Amino acid sequence: GAIGFVVCAAGEVPNDAKTECVACANLVGTGAGFYSPNPAVPCARCAVGKASATTKCVDCAATERSNADRSACVACDVNFVQDESDKSQCRPCADGHVRAAGAPSCSPCKRGFARNTTTDVTCVQCLAGTYTSAEGATACSQPSAGFIAAGDGATGQVQCAAGKVPDAAQHSCIACAAGTHRP
């Protein structure tokens, strides 16, 4: 829109009296979070999950959400990402997954580690006598009877050799007691 011989810049529109150019963010009844691609187009509010950049709306990153007035994108906390169904909110990573500061998305815990979102902030290494064989585990598992999980961060269980049995903690194999045997 032009005022006399003055043309409003992108992101501005003529006021109701058409006497001056007004930025969308300063226009009565609008405010932050509004934009206009050119003076001929009325100011409009950015959609949820986007933020105003004066002449256009920009998408918030997958690790951000739009603030209430859609004037800015706000970073999600660690272990949270943008909620795809409500881009003005952040949702927690799923059990067995984490998102470190600066990471673009949630990632599964690697084998030998687990994360329960109720109790753990990070992926926790399985202690000797427990294991996880798959990525994204929510808890470490106990070995089956006759098997051990040797060392911290075990990624599987190992059967004890003939003549040996698991110790009480199931993290090492010990010789059978005198007078007993294991085939």
Side-chain angles (χ1 to χ4, degrees):
I3 301 171
F5 294 105
V6 179
V7 176
C8 295
E12 296 181 334
V13 293
N15 66 359
D16 289 339
K18 304 213 182 314
T19 57
E20 63 181 325
C21 295
V22 180
C24 286
N26 298 330
L27 194 62
V28 174
T30 61
F34 282 77
Y35 75 101
S36 176
N38 67 62
V41 176
C43 296
R45 179 175 290 283
C46 292
V48 174
K50 297 179 181 270
S52 173
T54 307
T55 61
K56 63 182 178 178
C57 293
V58 294
D59 289 326
C60 294
T63 56
E64 299 175 326
R65 62 172 180 80
S66 58
N67 64 357
D69 66 8
R70 301 179 201 150
S71 63
C73 294
V74 179
C76 295
D77 290 336
V78 170
N79 291 328
F80 284 79
V81 291
Q82 184 185 87
D83 186 331
E84 293 172 15
S85 64
D86 180 358
K87 296 182 178 199
S88 67
Q89 302 293 318
C90 294
R91 66 166 173 79
C93 295
D95 275 352
H97 291 70
V98 293
R99 186 184 75 79
S105 61
C106 297
S107 301
C109 295
K110 64 183 183 176
R111 293 174 54 206
F113 289 76
R115 176 173 181 253
N116 177 320
T117 56
T118 311
T119 58
D120 304 322
V121 175
T122 61
C123 294
V124 177
Q125 187 176 44
C126 295
L127 298 176
T130 63
Y131 73 98
T132 60
S133 58
E135 290 186 340
T138 60
C140 299
S141 300
Q142 296 288 326
S144 302
F147 288 78
I148 63 165
D152 292 342
T155 58
Q157 56 183 350
V158 178
Q159 187 170 20
C160 292
K164 296 194 176 220
V165 293
D167 66 357
Q170 286 187 283
H171 62 72
S172 61
C173 294
I174 55 174
C176 293
T180 65
H181 78 284
R182 182 179 163 281

